[in-house]
Amino acid sequence: MDIEKAVAGLDLPRKVRLLTGSALFALHPEPEIGLAPLKLSDGPTGVRGAELRGGTIACVLPNATLLAQHWDVALAREVGEVLADEAAAQQVHVVLGPTINLHRTALGGRLFEAYSEDPLLTGTIAAAYVRGLQDKGIAATPKHYVANESETERRTASMVLDEKTLREVYLLPFEIVVEDSSPWAIMAAYNNVNGIPATEHTELVEGVLKGEWGFDGLVMSDWFATKSTAASANGGLDLVMPGPGGPWEDELVKAVRAGEVAGSVIDDHLRRLLLLASRTGAFGEQRSWPQDLPAPDSPLRREQLRRFAAGGMTVLKNSGVLPLQESRVALIGRHAIDTVAQGGGSAGVRPPHVISIADGLTSRLGDRVSVVDGVEIRARYAAPAAGVLKDVRATTYDADGEVLATRDMEIAELAAFGGWAQGAASIEVSGEVVLDEPTRMLVGVRGFGDWTIDVAGRQHTALLAWANGIVEEALLKPPHWTAEVLLSPGDRITARVREASALVGLITQPVPLAPADVIGAAARAAREADVAVVVVGLTEEQETEGFDKTTLALPGEQDALVAAVAAAAKHTVVVVNAATPVLMPWLAQVDAVLWAGLPGQEAGDAVAAALLGDIEPAGRLVTTFPRSDADALPLIPSDGELVYSEGTAIGYRGASEPLFWFGHGLGYTTWEYGDAQASTVDDVLVSVSVELTNTGGRSGREVVQVYLRPRDEPVRLVGFAVADVEAGRTVRVEVPCDARVQRVWSDGWHPLTGGEVLIARGLGDVRVTLPAEQE
C-alpha cells in the first residue's frame, strides 16, 4: 500500500496514536490503511519475546564481547541470521539490538552486551550483524544513540564530551553501521548529551543521523526514556516506547493544535513508522512466517552456538598445558557447576538448557574428571535451577482472591511487571523440593512485596518494601528473605506475595559452607590430579543492565581459591566465566588462563571443546584489561554530569602497561610475520598486505591487526582480517583499512597525516612497523 496515501488518509489523533507503543513490546495496528500489529523483542544475544521472565524458549547465544572476540565479519553476519530465524519463529518484526555503545571503562555494568572499546571494530561487527538480520526481513535496532557508556544514573545523567571526541569515537560506530548496513531502526538513549536528552537532541538526531548520514529509518526511544512532548517530537524522535501512555498520545495532539509541533513533523514520523512496517512485512502485503525453522535445541543450532562460543574464547596465558592432555582433571569452582551463560537485564532469555562446564567436560573425559564445588559467588540468592524443585506452579489472584491464571513453570521465578502476571493483586509461587534424604536447606523468597511463606506446613512472613520506585532495582537487585530449614523429600514450599512490584521468586539451596572448608577441599582435590582447572568469574550481579561495578575484583573468595589450588596442583588452568575484565592477582602462579566469556546455552560443551583443542579458542581481546581498579575510568556522575575527560584516548588509545592489551590472544599455534606492504591513496591508508606463516604444529586462525600511530594523535585500529592457515603454510593476508578512522574533527573532517603503521597481534605484540606516508 502507498505510504503517502496512508498518511493522508488518517486524521491527527489516529496518526499520533500510532507513534506510541500499544504495549510493552508491541505497536498499534490500523486496519483501515493495511497496518498490522508489529511485535518487538529485546535481542542482542537472543530473541526473548514479550515476557521479561519465563517466556518463550529461545536460543541463548554467547554474549556480545565473546562474539566480537572472533573479529570475524562473516561470523557476525551468521549470528544475525540465527537471530532473524529466532525472531521469525516468534513472529517478531523488530529485534532491539545490536548494542553498539563502547567499553569506555571496564567498570561498566552493561559491557557484556556491547562489542568492544574500539569504534571501528564495533561498527564493522555490528553492520554485519544488521545485514544478517535484515536480509531475512527482520529489523535491527542499533542502540543506544549516543554516549550511553554507563548505567549509573543513566536516566538522568548528562554525558559531557567535546565535539571532537563525540564525532571521532562515540558517533563513529553508529556512522559505520548506518553507512554500511542501513538499519531500519535506531534506539535513542536514556542519558543526556551535553545537557540535552538524547530523545530530543535535534542536533544529533535531525542534524547528524537523519541529515548528514541520510538515515531513512525510524528512531525510537529507549523504554520510558522520553521526557517531553513537543521537544522530543521536534527533535527527531519518531516513536515513544513503551505504551500505552507516555508523554505523546493526547498531549502530542494538543501540541500540534497549539502550534508547538507542525503537522508535517507528525507526518514524517508516521512515514518512517510505515516504512519500517513495510520493510518487515506488517504494512500492505503481509509477510508469511516460516514454519520449519530449527528449534533452539536442534543439532544445527547447538553446533552453531558451540562454535560461536568456543572460537571466540581467548587464551590469555599458556605455558604449554593447553590444550589439555593430562588424564586426571580436578574441575573446581562454583562456576563449573553453576555456569553463567548470560548477563542480567533486558538481554535475558529463557534457554532450552544451559550446559554447565562440569557436564561438558565430564561428557568428554568421563571419570577422569573429579568435580569440586567452589566458594560462594553471589551476594544475592538466585532462584533455584531446574531440578532443585519440581511441580513448580504460579497462580495470580485478583483483589477478591479469585484465580486469574495458573501456569506450570520450569523455575520458580516470574515477572510481575511486563508479563502475564501484570496487574494481579497477589501472586503465588510453589514447588516441591527434590531431595533423597532430609537435608538442612536455605529457603526463602526474592522480590519486593508483602510475603506469606509456607515451608512444609510452617508459616513465615516477610515484608520486603520497595522504597525508591526504581525499576532497575526491582528487576535486577530484588531483596531477599531466607531461613535455614530442615526439609524432607516431598516437602512443598508455597509463597504468596501482595503488592509485588517486578520480580518474584523462591529461594531453595544448600546451606553455604565456610570458605575455608571449601578452599581446603579444593586444594586436596587439586593435589591428587594431573591438572587442576579452576573456574571463576562474575555473575548477573556484576554483568548487568542498570548498575555499574565498583571494583574489577572477583566476588567472594575466588582469588583465595585460585591461589590455594595453584599452590597445591602440579598444573593449574584458570577458566574465567566473565565477559568483562577482572583483576588477576594470581596470574603469575598459574600455568594457563582461558577467557571464556558468557558462553550461552552450550557453555560447558564449548569450554570443553576449547580446553581440549577440538575448536581452537582463537579469540582476541576487545577490551584493554587494567592492572588495578585505579586504572579504570570512574563512572560516578558529579552533580548529574559524567565528564569524558580522557577525550579520544579511550581504552588502548590511552593505556600504559595494562594487564592485557586490546587485541591480545595466543590461540594454539605460533606465527611469523614476513614481508609487508602498505597501499595509500592521497596519503590515506587503503590496505596493508603481509606474509603470514603458521610456525606451529597445528592449523590455526590468526587475526592480523593494523593500527595507525599518527603524529600528535592517539594510536587507533584502522583495519583487521582473519586468516585460517595450516601448520607450516605461508599465506599473504590483505587487510583493508578504513578511511573513517584516519581523520580528525575540527569544525569538520580533516585527514590524518604522518606517523607509523603497526601490524600486530595486539598492541602488546607489534610485528611490523611501516611509515604511514609512502614514497
Side-chain angles (χ1 to χ4, degrees):
M1 190 168 181
D2 182 76
I3 288 177
E4 292 301 327
K5 183 178 179 180
V7 171
L10 296 177
D11 59 21
L12 178 63
R14 286 196 294 171
K15 290 178 181 178
V16 169
R17 179 176 178 269
L18 296 177
L19 302 179
T20 295
S22 63
L24 195 59
F25 293 100
L27 305 186
H28 289 287
E30 184 55 74
E32 183 177 320
I33 62 170
L35 176 63
L38 268 79
K39 289 177 61 177
L40 299 81
S41 172
D42 280 308
T45 50
V47 181
R48 189 194 62 234
E51 297 281 346
L52 295 178
R53 291 288 192 278
T56 302
I57 292 175
C59 288
V60 175
L61 279 69
N63 78 287
T65 57
L66 187 49
L67 294 171
Q69 283 171 191
H70 286 265
W71 293 57
D72 188 339
V73 171
L75 183 131
R77 183 176 188 132
E78 185 183 356
V79 168
E81 292 170 346
V82 169
L83 290 173
D85 285 349
E86 288 284 287
Q90 300 182 50
Q91 298 189 11
V92 164
H93 301 83
V94 181
V95 167
L96 305 176
T99 301
I100 60 173
N101 301 113
L102 299 181
H103 296 191
R104 176 177 172 262
T105 165
L107 290 169
R110 204 173 184 178
L111 301 193
F112 73 94
E113 196 181 311
Y115 291 122
S116 81
E117 70 185 27
D118 181 78
L120 176 63
L121 179 62
T122 294
T124 304
I125 295 297
Y129 170 111
V130 169
R131 290 192 295 271
L133 271 167
Q134 294 187 170
D135 283 354
K136 289 196 167 190
I138 305 297
T141 313
K143 60 185 186 180
H144 308 84
Y145 189 78
V146 63
N148 185 199
E149 274 69 40
S150 65
E151 296 296 290
T152 305
E153 299 178 23
R154 65 175 182 169
R155 293 177 184 268
T156 57
S158 179
M159 307 299 121
V160 179
L161 63 171
D162 58 67
E163 190 168 9
K164 173 181 169 65
T165 301
L166 184 61
R167 290 277 189 165
E168 293 182 23
V169 179
Y170 297 99
L171 282 172
L172 185 54
F174 289 93
E175 181 180 1
I176 291 171
V177 81
V178 167
E179 290 185 351
D180 293 359
S181 64
S182 300
W184 298 341
I186 281 179
M187 184 185 294
Y190 285 120
N191 54 280
N192 298 345
V193 181
N194 293 326
I196 302 172
T199 50
E200 56 191 67
H201 208 301
T202 308
E203 178 184 352
L204 293 179
V205 178
E206 288 288 353
V208 176
L209 178 60
K210 294 181 177 180
E212 291 181 29
W213 301 344
F215 174 67
D216 68 353
L218 175 135
V219 178
M220 70 178 72
S221 72
D222 205 336
W223 268 229
F224 304 104
T226 313
K227 304 168 185 177
S228 64
T229 301
S232 56
N234 289 328
L237 189 68
D238 299 308
L239 174 68
V240 168
M241 290 300 295
W248 281 15
E249 295 196 332
D250 292 344
E251 293 304 311
L252 185 52
V253 172
K254 293 176 185 177
V256 174
R257 289 174 174 164
E260 298 171 6
V261 178
S264 60
V265 169
I266 303 299
D267 288 351
D268 182 66
H269 297 328
L270 185 55
R271 287 187 192 99
R272 291 172 180 270
L273 176 64
L274 295 178
L275 179 58
L276 172 66
S278 176
R279 286 166 161 170
T280 57
F283 176 65
E285 183 178 350
Q286 304 296 299
R287 74 179 300 157
S288 59
W289 299 98
Q291 303 298 315
D292 56 349
L293 295 168
D297 59 352
S298 65
L300 172 62
R301 287 290 181 253
R302 296 194 65 183
E303 182 280 325
Q304 287 178 301
L305 301 191
R306 183 167 58 250
R307 173 167 46 85
F308 291 170
M313 292 177 187
T314 303
V315 181
L316 298 181
K317 177 180 180 179
N318 189 13
S319 63
V321 69
L322 292 179
L324 284 180
Q325 296 182 12
E326 286 81 358
S327 58
R328 294 178 302 159
V329 176
L331 181 63
I332 297 164
R334 178 64 55 81
H335 281 271
I337 299 167
D338 183 14
T339 304
V340 178
Q342 57 183 322
S346 61
V349 177
R350 177 189 174 196
H353 55 252
V354 173
I355 307 297
S356 71
I357 294 172
D359 286 344
L361 200 57
T362 301
S363 71
R364 288 295 316 281
L365 299 181
D367 59 9
R368 288 181 288 168
V369 178
S370 59
V371 180
V372 181
D373 198 0
V375 295
E376 288 295 315
I377 56 176
R378 289 182 171 87
R380 298 185 305 279
Y381 298 113
V388 177
L389 295 174
K390 66 179 181 179
D391 189 24
V392 178
R393 291 193 302 273
T395 304
T396 57
Y397 300 87
D398 65 16
D400 296 324
E402 297 295 323
V403 173
L404 295 172
T406 298
R407 285 194 181 185
D408 293 329
M409 310 283 286
E410 288 182 342
I411 61 171
E413 180 179 88
L414 71 154
F417 171 80
W420 67 275
Q422 185 164 333
S426 62
I427 302 171
E428 183 178 276
V429 186
S430 67
E432 181 183 322
V433 67
V434 178
L435 291 172
D436 294 326
E437 59 185 9
T439 306
R440 295 202 69 80
M441 300 284 286
L442 205 61
V443 175
V445 294
R446 61 198 303 257
F448 293 97
D450 187 359
W451 289 91
T452 302
I453 307 105
D454 183 301
V455 183
R458 297 181 292 277
Q459 298 290 322
H460 305 269
T461 60
L463 177 61
L464 303 176
W466 189 24
N468 57 23
I470 298 174
V471 173
E472 284 90 346
E473 182 170 332
L475 283 171
L476 304 175
K477 286 189 175 181
H480 63 265
W481 171 92
T482 59
E484 192 175 316
V485 178
L486 179 63
L487 292 176
S488 299
D491 281 349
R492 192 165 189 87
I493 303 164
T494 302
R496 190 160 174 172
V497 59
R498 295 182 299 277
E499 302 176 5
S501 58
L503 184 73
V504 299
L506 300 182
I507 295 169
T508 310
Q509 67 172 59
V511 177
L513 299 175
D517 294 339
V518 175
I519 292 172
R524 288 191 294 274
R527 196 172 292 115
E528 296 171 359
D530 295 311
V531 61
V533 176
V534 191
V535 190
V536 297
L538 305 176
T539 74
E540 67 281 356
E541 292 182 7
Q542 297 85 33
E543 311 262 31
T544 184
E545 177 183 1
F547 301 92
D548 292 313
K549 305 181 189 74
T550 57
T551 179
L552 301 178
L554 288 169
E557 298 295 321
Q558 294 184 90
D559 287 333
L561 174 68
V562 175
V565 169
K570 299 180 184 70
H571 299 288
T572 303
V573 175
V574 178
V575 176
V576 186
N577 179 199
T580 50
V582 301
L583 304 182
M584 301 182 185
W586 33 260
L587 184 61
Q589 301 170 253
V590 303
D591 297 283
V593 179
L594 177 70
W595 190 259
L598 304 178
Q601 68 185 50
E602 307 303 319
D605 286 348
V607 170
L611 288 173
L612 297 171
D614 300 338
I615 298 174
E616 184 190 22
R620 303 294 187 263
L621 290 183
V622 294
T623 308
T624 301
F625 278 41
R627 288 187 178 273
S628 68
D629 284 341
D631 293 333
L633 290 170
L635 277 173
I636 306 301
S638 176
D639 296 325
E641 293 187 342
L642 183 58
V643 180
Y644 286 30
S645 57
E646 72 286 354
T648 61
I650 176 179
Y652 68 84
R653 298 183 180 201
S656 176
E657 298 185 0
L659 184 65
F660 293 108
W661 280 102
F662 174 85
H664 172 71
L666 301 176
Y668 282 158
T669 187
T670 54
W671 301 93
E672 181 179 291
Y673 283 59
D675 176 68
Q677 299 175 6
S679 174
T680 62
V681 174
D682 296 329
D683 293 329
V684 174
L685 190 63
V686 174
S687 66
V688 168
S689 69
V690 61
E691 282 190 350
L692 178 69
T693 303
N694 181 346
T695 56
R698 57 175 286 162
S699 297
R701 164 167 285 202
E702 176 67 311
V703 180
V704 179
Q705 304 161 40
V706 177
Y707 298 84
L708 179 64
R709 179 179 284 146
R711 289 192 294 264
D712 305 320
E713 287 283 338
V715 65
R716 75 276 315 276
L717 180 74
V718 296
F720 58 91
V722 295
D724 295 293
V725 186
E726 295 177 0
R729 292 288 303 276
T730 298
V731 298
R732 180 164 283 276
V733 180
E734 295 285 338
V735 184
C737 298
D738 200 306
R740 290 170 293 197
V741 282
Q742 300 179 60
R743 57 184 184 173
V744 290
W745 181 270
S746 178
D747 295 323
W749 289 113
H750 305 278
L752 284 167
T753 57
E756 298 175 320
V757 175
L758 312 178
I759 307 174
R761 305 190 70 240
L763 275 173
D765 189 3
V766 176
R767 295 300 181 93
V768 181
T769 301
L770 300 171
E773 294 176 339
Q774 303 298 303
E775 297 181 0

